[in-house]
């Protein structure tokens, strides 16, 4: 190809790539796969590599970000970046309207004629983008409203920030969505005849909840401290001197303000234009006639907000007519014509009952505050991660402290402050344990590292195995809850032990991979259903060494409740039929262990109802007879056979002893058969067993 041909190809590729970017970010639609798009980008970069002089600043290849900066350049905003006055109740919203109407129509406010435009208030941070001849020239932070910082290089990495505006109606018309759109907007079409040389757009940089969860999961995997909220990461990664910091790729941009006069007369038209220019805009935003409807919109969004992909902290309502808005002017730093109608506080105060430590997959210890349950914006919060020791020191948080807890959307609740004046006398500073709470191995802390780690490589695995066992078929048998989901719960810090499963809410489950609203609700109820559990299954689920199903049944039958079992002296345990010294000791030790006692307490606290449904056999046919099963059966499972034996009044034991009456031998029997032969115990085939059953 000649240079001319390459140039032509480059131009075409740029257009094509941009077309797909527009489609994806503006309309949430994809015509070609990510892989195909990557392939186009790759070709573009290869060609540009041949002739670097053909690289333009708006080329999609330039999204990789330039060289790291020494420091940020200051940028003076041509128009100040204002903030908004807040309304926290319907009353305050009405007061705002009254003021506005009075200013617009003097003492006859009834004559004021305008409507409203309402949109979501994204919880991110504001930036300004300046385009010259349609090409992104400068992007800056709000700063103090008058002077911000030049963050152009970081912003270029964010795909939803267009590198060039769509200024050509024919190009825009390539999208079927915009074609339909434009046909109903004759006034808007005129803008494109006199496209201003410089255009300034403002909007919000944010990180989606999902991306936020991923970033934090990644931090955890690498044993790094977690971020407190999406806004902090978003701000932090844009204000990066090195734009290559990959986190920036997970950021998003939503445009809400067209500062430049392009001929628009309402705020609604600004949104239309922003969309046509190639910006992602708020899909819920709309023109609204009355203040009542503004309140209705607020209510509607309040209900929807948990399901939105990003955090919002309210709605923004403003006078839609540009001239009226201008006339209303500015008071302090906020325009009179707009208001931020906020959602109720997502903060509450509560007391730290305990600070416990979770052990993650990589063995990193994470401190967690166990809180006196408190309702925050409709959800009961009973724990909050404290991230790491640095955070604990920063907050100076102690057991017994009264703390401020913030819950932002689906994000895990955060302790944002400690009310030190309310601290009880003698409250001790928190120290990381020196022994791992899961396995007891020493905890290590390398100098210069934030993380504390358990030195036992298989520690987290042990904890995992315990949980797999707890939910398994013969234990709690929770529908739809297998090892993979247990992993996801652990990896996302949602649970630490089996009792935590019962504290999970639908909203905790929903953001996890492979889950949606419905499946999360199903799993939630499957777990809740098991809040009533039989004593024998419960004992088996505890995973006490040497305590299988049969021993669990024996223990349940003998003691009839957990407390009695817990209080049983060693000798009493040894007296139980089928329980030898080793097993008795294992049971005894388990109940003496303090973290196990804590777990039992926790089960009680969450309202787990353990019932000793004293098993009543349907007949006495096999009364007094003890059976042991070995090998695989053909016509039924071993569990079915055991159940049948018990129904007929017989007993099942796990190991062969002198007391055993019959050993049932299936296919590929194990060492139990040998032992039976040695002790001269009668064996039965499956056929013979069936005959016994009748
Ligand atoms: S309009 C006059 N619209 O809220 C100020 N702001 O409290 C123009 N924000 O600094 C702001 N979503 O960071 C507007 N749809 C939205 C918004 C929004 C979030 C932020 C923005 C602003 C702050 C003001």
């Amino acid at each position: 190809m000649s240079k001319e041909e390459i140039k032509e190809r480059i131009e075409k590729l740029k257009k094509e790539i941009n077309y797909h970017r527009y489609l994806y970010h503006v309309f949430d639609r994809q015509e070609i796969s990510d892989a195909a798009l990557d392939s186009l980008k790759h070709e573009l970069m290869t060609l540009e590599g041949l002739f670097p002089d053909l690289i333009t600043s708006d080329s999609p290849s330039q999204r990789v970000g330039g060289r790291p900066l020494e420091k940020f350049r200051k940028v003076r905003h041509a128009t100040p970046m204002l903030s908004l006055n807040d309304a926290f109740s319907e009353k305050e919203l009405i007061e705002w309207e009254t003021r506005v109407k009075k200013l617009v129509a003097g003492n006859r406010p009834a004559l004021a004629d305008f409507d409203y435009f309402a949109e979501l208030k994204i919880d991110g941070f504001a930036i300004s983008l300046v385009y010259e001849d349609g090409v992104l020239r400068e992007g800056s932070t709000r700063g103090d409203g008058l002077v911000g910082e030049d963050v152009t290089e970081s912003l270029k990495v964010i795909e939803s920030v267009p590198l060039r505006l769509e200024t050509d109606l024919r190009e825009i018309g390539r999208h079927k969505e915009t074609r339909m759109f434009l046909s109903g907007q004759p006034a808007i079409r005129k803008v494109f005849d006199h496209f201003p040389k410089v255009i300034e757009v403002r909007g919000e940089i944010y990180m989606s909840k999902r991306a936020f969860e991923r970033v934090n999961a990644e931090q955890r995997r690498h044993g790094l401290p977690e971020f407190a909220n999406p806004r902090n990461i978003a701000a932090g990664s844009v204000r990066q001197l090195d734009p290559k910091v990959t986190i920036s790729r997970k950021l998003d941009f939503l445009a809400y303000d067209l500062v430049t006069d392009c001929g628009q007369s309402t705020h609604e038209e600004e949104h239309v234009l922003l969309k046509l220019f190639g910006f992602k805009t708020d899909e819920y935003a709309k023109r609204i006639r009355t203040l009542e409807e503004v309140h209705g919109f607020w209510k509607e969004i309040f209900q929807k907000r948990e399901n939105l992909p990003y955090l919002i902290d309210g709605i923004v309502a403003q006078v839609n007519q540009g001239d009226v808005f201008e006339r209303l002017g500015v008071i302090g730093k906020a325009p009179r014509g707009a208001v931020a109608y906020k959602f109720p506080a997502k903060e509450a105060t509560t007391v730290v009952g305990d600070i416990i430590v979770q052990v993650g997959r990589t063995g990193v210890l994470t401190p967690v505050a166990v809180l006196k349950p408190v309702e925050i914006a409709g959800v009961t919060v009973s724990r909050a991660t404290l991230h790491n020791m640095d955070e604990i020191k920063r907050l100076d948080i102690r057991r017994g402290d009264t703390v401020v807890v913030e819950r932002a959307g689906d994000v895990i609740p955060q302790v944002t402050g400690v009310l030190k004046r309310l601290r009880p006398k003698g409250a001790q500073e928190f120290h990381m344990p020196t022994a791992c709470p899961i396995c007891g191995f020493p905890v290590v802390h390398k100098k210069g590292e934030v993380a504390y780690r358990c030195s036992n490589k298989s520690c987290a695995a042990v904890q995992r195995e315990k949980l797999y066992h707890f939910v398994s078929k013969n234990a709690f048998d929770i529908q739809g809850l297998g090892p993979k989901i247990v992993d996801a719960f652990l990896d996302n810090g949602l649970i630490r032990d089996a009792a935590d499963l019962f504290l999970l809410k639908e909203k905790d489950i929903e953001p996890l991979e492979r889950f949606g609203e419905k499946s999360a609700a199903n799993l939630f109820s499957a777990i809740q259903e098991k809040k009533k559990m039989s004593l024998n299954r419960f004992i088996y689920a505890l995973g006490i060494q040497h305590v299988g199903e049969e021993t669990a049944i024996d223990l349940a039958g003998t003691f009839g409740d957990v407390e009695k079992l817990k209080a049983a002296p060693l000798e009493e345990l040894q007296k139980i039929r089928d329980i030898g010294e080793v097993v008795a000791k294992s049971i005894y030790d388990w109940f003496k262990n303090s973290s196990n006692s804590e777990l039992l307490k926790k089960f009680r606290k969450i309202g787990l109802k353990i019932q000793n449904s004293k098993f009543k056999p349907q007949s006495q046919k096999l009364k007094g007879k003890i059976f042991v099963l070995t090998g695989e059966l053909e016509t039924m499972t071993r569990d079915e056979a055991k159940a049948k034996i018990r129904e007929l009044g017989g007993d099942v034991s796990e190991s062969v002893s002198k007391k055993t009456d019959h050993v049932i031998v299936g296919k590929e029997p194990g060492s139990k058969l040998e032992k039976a032969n040695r002790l001269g115990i009668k064996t039965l085939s499956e056929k013979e067993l069936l005959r016994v059953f009748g």
Side-chain angles (χ1 to χ4, degrees), residues 82-84 86 119-126 142 204 256-257 316 318 335 340:
L82 301 173
S83 60
L84 292 170
D86 294 327
E119 57 201 284
L120 308 189
K121 186 168 186 306
I122 316 286
D123 193 10
F125 73 102
R142 177 173 181 273
E204 204 82 348
Y256 52 64
D257 201 4
V316 176
Q318 60 184 288

mmCIF file of all heavy atoms in Angstrom, residues 82-84 86 119-126 142 204 256-257 316 318 335 340, ligand 1:
data_model
loop_
_atom_site.group_PDB
_atom_site.id
_atom_site.type_symbol
_atom_site.label_atom_id
_atom_site.label_comp_id
_atom_site.label_asym_id
_atom_site.label_seq_id
_atom_site.Cartn_x
_atom_site.Cartn_y
_atom_site.Cartn_z
ATOM 1 N N LEU A 82 -19.916 25.172 39.085
ATOM 2 C CA LEU A 82 -20.668 25.429 40.317
ATOM 3 C C LEU A 82 -21.006 24.134 41.043
ATOM 4 O O LEU A 82 -20.729 23.054 40.552
ATOM 5 C CB LEU A 82 -21.945 26.189 39.958
ATOM 6 C CG LEU A 82 -21.730 27.525 39.256
ATOM 7 C CD1 LEU A 82 -23.063 28.098 38.788
ATOM 8 C CD2 LEU A 82 -21.003 28.516 40.164
ATOM 9 N N SER A 83 -21.603 24.311 42.210
ATOM 10 C CA SER A 83 -22.129 23.124 42.881
ATOM 11 C C SER A 83 -23.637 23.302 43.006
ATOM 12 O O SER A 83 -24.196 24.237 42.447
ATOM 13 C CB SER A 83 -21.466 22.933 44.238
ATOM 14 O OG SER A 83 -21.720 24.067 45.014
ATOM 15 N N LEU A 84 -24.293 22.418 43.720
ATOM 16 C CA LEU A 84 -25.751 22.482 43.802
ATOM 17 C C LEU A 84 -26.198 22.655 45.241
ATOM 18 O O LEU A 84 -25.554 22.158 46.157
ATOM 19 C CB LEU A 84 -26.361 21.180 43.265
ATOM 20 C CG LEU A 84 -26.206 20.906 41.772
ATOM 21 C CD1 LEU A 84 -26.643 19.486 41.463
ATOM 22 C CD2 LEU A 84 -27.019 21.892 40.960
ATOM 23 N N ASP A 86 -28.771 21.616 48.166
ATOM 24 C CA ASP A 86 -29.456 20.352 48.434
ATOM 25 C C ASP A 86 -30.863 20.573 48.969
ATOM 26 O O ASP A 86 -31.127 21.559 49.657
ATOM 27 C CB ASP A 86 -28.693 19.563 49.510
ATOM 28 C CG ASP A 86 -27.318 19.129 49.012
ATOM 29 O OD1 ASP A 86 -27.190 18.851 47.815
ATOM 30 O OD2 ASP A 86 -26.387 19.059 49.841
ATOM 31 N N GLU A 119 -32.861 14.451 36.472
ATOM 32 C CA GLU A 119 -31.901 13.407 36.091
ATOM 33 C C GLU A 119 -31.243 12.840 37.347
ATOM 34 O O GLU A 119 -31.438 13.358 38.448
ATOM 35 C CB GLU A 119 -30.836 13.973 35.151
ATOM 36 C CG GLU A 119 -30.082 15.143 35.727
ATOM 37 C CD GLU A 119 -29.415 15.987 34.645
ATOM 38 O OE1 GLU A 119 -28.391 15.543 34.131
ATOM 39 O OE2 GLU A 119 -29.930 17.086 34.344
ATOM 40 N N LEU A 120 -30.484 11.797 37.169
ATOM 41 C CA LEU A 120 -29.850 11.159 38.321
ATOM 42 C C LEU A 120 -28.638 11.961 38.769
ATOM 43 O O LEU A 120 -27.943 12.543 37.954
ATOM 44 C CB LEU A 120 -29.393 9.738 37.975
ATOM 45 C CG LEU A 120 -30.445 8.830 37.343
ATOM 46 C CD1 LEU A 120 -29.923 7.407 37.269
ATOM 47 C CD2 LEU A 120 -31.740 8.884 38.117
ATOM 48 N N LYS A 121 -28.413 11.948 40.067
ATOM 49 C CA LYS A 121 -27.205 12.597 40.582
ATOM 50 C C LYS A 121 -26.188 11.496 40.844
ATOM 51 O O LYS A 121 -26.271 10.767 41.833
ATOM 52 C CB LYS A 121 -27.516 13.386 41.854
ATOM 53 C CG LYS A 121 -26.327 14.186 42.325
ATOM 54 C CD LYS A 121 -26.737 15.178 43.394
ATOM 55 C CE LYS A 121 -25.589 16.090 43.789
ATOM 56 N NZ LYS A 121 -24.367 15.408 44.201
ATOM 57 N N ILE A 122 -25.265 11.377 39.930
ATOM 58 C CA ILE A 122 -24.261 10.311 39.987
ATOM 59 C C ILE A 122 -23.246 10.623 41.083
ATOM 60 O O ILE A 122 -22.789 11.759 41.195
ATOM 61 C CB ILE A 122 -23.482 10.205 38.658
ATOM 62 C CG1 ILE A 122 -24.426 10.291 37.466
ATOM 63 C CG2 ILE A 122 -22.614 8.956 38.613
ATOM 64 C CD1 ILE A 122 -25.233 9.098 37.214
ATOM 65 N N ASP A 123 -22.900 9.585 41.836
ATOM 66 C CA ASP A 123 -21.947 9.803 42.915
ATOM 67 C C ASP A 123 -20.523 9.548 42.415
ATOM 68 O O ASP A 123 -19.921 8.520 42.667
ATOM 69 C CB ASP A 123 -22.280 8.853 44.075
ATOM 70 C CG ASP A 123 -21.536 9.231 45.339
ATOM 71 O OD1 ASP A 123 -20.923 10.307 45.363
ATOM 72 O OD2 ASP A 123 -21.568 8.442 46.295
ATOM 73 N N GLY A 124 -20.024 10.526 41.678
ATOM 74 C CA GLY A 124 -18.661 10.421 41.166
ATOM 75 C C GLY A 124 -17.993 11.763 41.381
ATOM 76 O O GLY A 124 -18.181 12.369 42.419
ATOM 77 N N PHE A 125 -17.245 12.229 40.393
ATOM 78 C CA PHE A 125 -16.745 13.591 40.532
ATOM 79 C C PHE A 125 -16.746 14.277 39.176
ATOM 80 O O PHE A 125 -16.612 13.651 38.130
ATOM 81 C CB PHE A 125 -15.371 13.624 41.202
ATOM 82 C CG PHE A 125 -14.271 13.147 40.336
ATOM 83 C CD1 PHE A 125 -13.417 14.042 39.706
ATOM 84 C CD2 PHE A 125 -14.086 11.801 40.127
ATOM 85 C CE1 PHE A 125 -12.405 13.600 38.888
ATOM 86 C CE2 PHE A 125 -13.071 11.338 39.306
ATOM 87 C CZ PHE A 125 -12.235 12.243 38.695
ATOM 88 N N ALA A 126 -16.945 15.603 39.247
ATOM 89 C CA ALA A 126 -17.218 16.362 38.033
ATOM 90 C C ALA A 126 -15.940 16.673 37.262
ATOM 91 O O ALA A 126 -14.888 16.936 37.857
ATOM 92 C CB ALA A 126 -17.911 17.664 38.422
ATOM 93 N N ARG A 142 -12.702 19.695 38.667
ATOM 94 C CA ARG A 142 -13.422 20.878 39.104
ATOM 95 C C ARG A 142 -12.526 21.804 39.933
ATOM 96 O O ARG A 142 -12.610 23.015 39.826
ATOM 97 C CB ARG A 142 -14.628 20.433 39.934
ATOM 98 C CG ARG A 142 -15.422 21.550 40.517
ATOM 99 C CD ARG A 142 -16.681 21.008 41.177
ATOM 100 N NE ARG A 142 -17.467 22.088 41.713
ATOM 101 C CZ ARG A 142 -17.305 22.610 42.923
ATOM 102 N NH1 ARG A 142 -16.375 22.139 43.713
ATOM 103 N NH2 ARG A 142 -18.053 23.607 43.329
ATOM 104 N N GLU A 204 -19.893 13.603 34.840
ATOM 105 C CA GLU A 204 -19.386 12.918 36.020
ATOM 106 C C GLU A 204 -18.542 11.703 35.636
ATOM 107 O O GLU A 204 -18.960 10.879 34.822
ATOM 108 C CB GLU A 204 -20.598 12.457 36.845
ATOM 109 C CG GLU A 204 -20.326 12.255 38.286
ATOM 110 C CD GLU A 204 -20.360 13.538 39.114
ATOM 111 O OE1 GLU A 204 -20.385 14.642 38.536
ATOM 112 O OE2 GLU A 204 -20.348 13.411 40.352
ATOM 113 N N TYR A 256 -23.684 15.521 31.514
ATOM 114 C CA TYR A 256 -24.972 16.104 31.902
ATOM 115 C C TYR A 256 -25.094 17.587 31.604
ATOM 116 O O TYR A 256 -26.125 18.181 31.846
ATOM 117 C CB TYR A 256 -25.286 15.828 33.375
ATOM 118 C CG TYR A 256 -24.200 16.203 34.380
ATOM 119 C CD1 TYR A 256 -23.812 17.517 34.568
ATOM 120 C CD2 TYR A 256 -23.587 15.213 35.141
ATOM 121 C CE1 TYR A 256 -22.841 17.850 35.493
ATOM 122 C CE2 TYR A 256 -22.613 15.537 36.073
ATOM 123 C CZ TYR A 256 -22.233 16.863 36.239
ATOM 124 O OH TYR A 256 -21.267 17.182 37.146
ATOM 125 N N ASP A 257 -24.049 18.180 31.089
ATOM 126 C CA ASP A 257 -24.129 19.623 30.901
ATOM 127 C C ASP A 257 -23.396 20.044 29.631
ATOM 128 O O ASP A 257 -22.216 19.730 29.459
ATOM 129 C CB ASP A 257 -23.486 20.299 32.135
ATOM 130 C CG ASP A 257 -23.952 21.722 32.310
ATOM 131 O OD1 ASP A 257 -24.819 22.153 31.530
ATOM 132 O OD2 ASP A 257 -23.443 22.402 33.226
ATOM 133 N N VAL A 316 -31.118 15.338 40.358
ATOM 134 C CA VAL A 316 -30.930 16.773 40.136
ATOM 135 C C VAL A 316 -32.148 17.249 39.369
ATOM 136 O O VAL A 316 -32.491 16.665 38.343
ATOM 137 C CB VAL A 316 -29.652 17.050 39.310
ATOM 138 C CG1 VAL A 316 -29.531 18.543 39.007
ATOM 139 C CG2 VAL A 316 -28.425 16.537 40.038
ATOM 140 N N GLN A 318 -33.911 20.686 37.619
ATOM 141 C CA GLN A 318 -33.634 22.080 37.278
ATOM 142 C C GLN A 318 -34.678 22.646 36.343
ATOM 143 O O GLN A 318 -35.427 21.912 35.696
ATOM 144 C CB GLN A 318 -32.240 22.224 36.692
ATOM 145 C CG GLN A 318 -31.985 21.449 35.431
ATOM 146 C CD GLN A 318 -30.532 21.598 35.018
ATOM 147 O OE1 GLN A 318 -30.123 22.656 34.565
ATOM 148 N NE2 GLN A 318 -29.760 20.549 35.197
ATOM 149 N N PRO A 335 -26.305 27.508 41.335
ATOM 150 C CA PRO A 335 -27.348 28.167 40.549
ATOM 151 C C PRO A 335 -28.688 28.065 41.274
ATOM 152 O O PRO A 335 -28.989 27.042 41.859
ATOM 153 C CB PRO A 335 -27.359 27.357 39.242
ATOM 154 C CG PRO A 335 -26.817 26.018 39.599
ATOM 155 C CD PRO A 335 -25.879 26.234 40.745
ATOM 156 N N ALA A 340 -30.329 19.763 44.136
ATOM 157 C CA ALA A 340 -30.016 18.336 44.283
ATOM 158 C C ALA A 340 -30.978 17.794 45.327
ATOM 159 O O ALA A 340 -30.910 18.173 46.485
ATOM 160 C CB ALA A 340 -28.577 18.155 44.750
HETATM 161 S S1 LIG B 1 -25.529 19.536 37.484
HETATM 162 C C1 LIG B 1 -24.344 23.660 38.794
HETATM 163 N N1 LIG B 1 -26.176 17.043 37.176
HETATM 164 O O1 LIG B 1 -23.126 16.944 41.794
HETATM 165 C C2 LIG B 1 -23.628 22.396 38.988
HETATM 166 N N2 LIG B 1 -24.481 17.564 38.749
HETATM 167 O O2 LIG B 1 -23.510 18.794 44.009
HETATM 168 C C3 LIG B 1 -23.904 21.533 37.827
HETATM 169 N N3 LIG B 1 -23.507 15.624 39.834
HETATM 170 O O3 LIG B 1 -20.365 18.970 41.119
HETATM 171 C C4 LIG B 1 -24.135 20.182 38.302
HETATM 172 N N4 LIG B 1 -24.707 14.120 38.796
HETATM 173 O O4 LIG B 1 -20.243 16.508 40.450
HETATM 174 C C5 LIG B 1 -25.400 17.902 37.832
HETATM 175 N N5 LIG B 1 -26.819 14.891 36.741
HETATM 176 C C6 LIG B 1 -26.041 15.737 37.397
HETATM 177 C C7 LIG B 1 -25.093 15.328 38.341
HETATM 178 C C8 LIG B 1 -24.330 16.277 39.005
HETATM 179 C C9 LIG B 1 -23.757 14.320 39.686
HETATM 180 C C10 LIG B 1 -22.512 16.186 40.798
HETATM 181 C C11 LIG B 1 -21.486 17.089 40.156
HETATM 182 C C12 LIG B 1 -21.608 18.388 40.886
HETATM 183 C C13 LIG B 1 -22.265 17.985 42.150
HETATM 184 C C14 LIG B 1 -23.044 19.138 42.739
#
